[in-house]
Each structure stands twice: as C-alpha cells, then as structure tokens.
Amino acid sequence: MIRIVIVDDHPMVREGIRSMLERHADMDIVAQASGGKQALECVKRTVPDLLLLDLRMPDMNGPEVTRKALQIQPGLKILILTTYDTDGDILTAIEAGAHGYLLKDVEPQFLAESIRNTVAGGTVMAPRAAQAMADHLHPQHKPPLSEQEHAVLQLAAAGKTNRQIAVSLFISEATVKTYFSRIFAKLGVNDRTAAVAMVYAKRDSGFGVS
C-alpha cells in the first residue's frame, strides 16, 4: 500500500482527490491537511510514503513545506499538484526537493500512475514544468550524451527506477548509477529530476548523441 497525505487548502479539492485515489487498491489516504503546519504534523504522525502537495497555502508555501517535511522524513516522496505554472513557482519547488510537479488538469489515471512512479523512485513533470527547468538549465550548451547515457535518461524519463533501467539495458544497478553521474556532469545538473526535465522538454528534438 502507498500511504499518502493530501495537502490542499480547499476542502472540496481534497475530497475529490481522496475519492479518486481511493478507487485504487494500492493507495491509502492516511491523512489530509489544509495547510503547511498541519501537513508537517501529519507527516510526523503517519509517516507516509508520499506527500501530495499544493503549492500555495495561507500559512506556508509548498517549497517551505517540502524542505521541512524532508527534514522530518528524508525518504519521503513529494509530488506537487497545483494550478500554478510560472517558472518561479516551478523552479523554487524543484530546488526545495520536490520529486515531481503536476498541474491539476492532469487526467485521474495519470495522477495515480505518477504517484506510483514517484514512490518507486521515478520523476514525473508536467510539460510546462519540464520546459521551465530545461530553459533554466540551458541544455543546448551542454556536451552530447553517449548512446547508452541517452538510453538511461530516456528510461528515467519514462518513470523507470534504477533497477528497472538496469534490467532493460542488461547492466547492473551500479553501472546505472555511474551513467547518471556522467549524465549529471555533462548536463550540468545535480539530480535526476533536473536531468529528466530536459528529456520531457526536448522530446521532439532530442539530445545530441556522441
């Protein structure tokens, strides 16, 4: 079971999300919160797998909640679900440690799949969020990826975990981690979320392959 805390300051939004997610047998809504402080208390009390977090709330914003929640529970996965799609909102949330960024117009089934992928170690991002990250990081000035590095990153963008990538490419998990280190260095990023954002934003044109 995936233990989820839903955080949104609108009761009807929370109830709608809860009702939708509880249709999935592998999801358990262990708590709901209307603000940041209440969300942090829920994290302490319930030790969830994932925090489904709105970006703007009366008492505390999403990035602030993200930072403090990860201090309480470092292994917690945080998925932003919001209506805000400005570059500043997106970049601040990802830099705070959020593992994914979706907009509230997402299809219900895709939200459920995104939660599963995030908990499994993947990264999910709305196209607008991915584009903001890619523009911020200026990937066009980075050196090209090798064919194998490109394959690893494409699988990560599809929501695959390191173990799943290793199986798909017939390599070890340690080798996958080595490839990610090289990818991060070439792209000038520090984490998987930023690297995957480039794939989402540039799917049509692709990365250069050496």
Side-chain angles (χ1 to χ4, degrees):
M1 293 289 287
I2 300 174
R3 297 168 53 81
I4 302 167
V5 171
I6 298 171
V7 187
D8 196 290
D9 59 335
H10 295 95
M12 290 194 65
V13 172
R14 292 198 308 273
E15 274 303 304
I17 295 172
R18 181 196 61 77
S19 177
M20 179 179 63
L21 294 181
E22 284 187 340
R23 298 172 188 170
H24 299 272
D26 61 338
M27 297 189 184
D28 181 18
I29 310 305
V30 296
Q32 297 183 46
S34 60
K37 293 179 181 178
Q38 188 179 13
L40 296 177
E41 288 301 318
C42 289
V43 170
K44 292 177 184 177
R45 187 178 75 253
T46 65
V47 193
D49 299 303
L50 181 133
L51 196 63
L52 191 60
L53 180 63
D54 193 10
L55 197 64
R56 297 185 187 177
M57 294 167 289
D59 64 338
M60 197 181 298
N61 63 36
E64 187 176 1
V65 175
T66 296
R67 285 189 291 268
K68 292 185 176 182
L70 290 174
Q71 290 173 356
I72 295 169
Q73 187 181 330
L76 177 65
K77 302 297 183 181
I78 298 177
L79 182 56
I80 301 294
L81 182 65
T82 184
T83 58
Y84 300 100
D85 64 353
T86 67
D87 288 7
D89 287 325
I90 294 164
L91 296 174
T92 302
I94 297 301
E95 289 169 356
H99 300 91
Y101 196 107
L102 296 177
L103 300 179
K104 287 181 179 177
D105 61 359
V106 65
E107 291 292 331
Q109 185 59 39
F110 185 76
L111 176 59
E113 292 170 359
S114 297
I115 288 172
R116 294 187 186 103
N117 286 339
T118 302
V119 170
T123 299
V124 293
M125 300 191 79
R128 178 69 193 86
Q131 186 63 60
M133 287 293 296
D135 291 345
H136 176 67
L137 296 165
H138 303 296
Q140 63 271 25
H141 300 304
K142 308 304 179 185
L145 303 181
S146 70
E147 185 175 351
Q148 192 77 328
E149 289 164 351
H150 187 269
V152 167
L153 193 50
Q154 290 289 343
L155 287 168
K160 302 296 184 183
T161 64
N162 283 2
R163 177 175 296 181
Q164 291 170 327
I165 293 171
V167 171
S168 296
L169 298 179
F170 303 101
I171 57 179
S172 69
E173 285 190 64
T175 301
V176 172
K177 292 179 181 178
T178 298
Y179 277 125
F180 270 119
S181 295
R182 294 175 185 171
I183 290 167
F184 295 164
K186 285 186 176 182
L187 298 182
V189 300
N190 297 318
D191 57 41
R192 184 188 189 110
T193 302
V196 166
M198 294 184 182
V199 180
Y200 282 155
K202 303 296 181 182
R203 278 193 189 277
D204 291 337
S205 58
F207 287 95
V209 179
S210 61

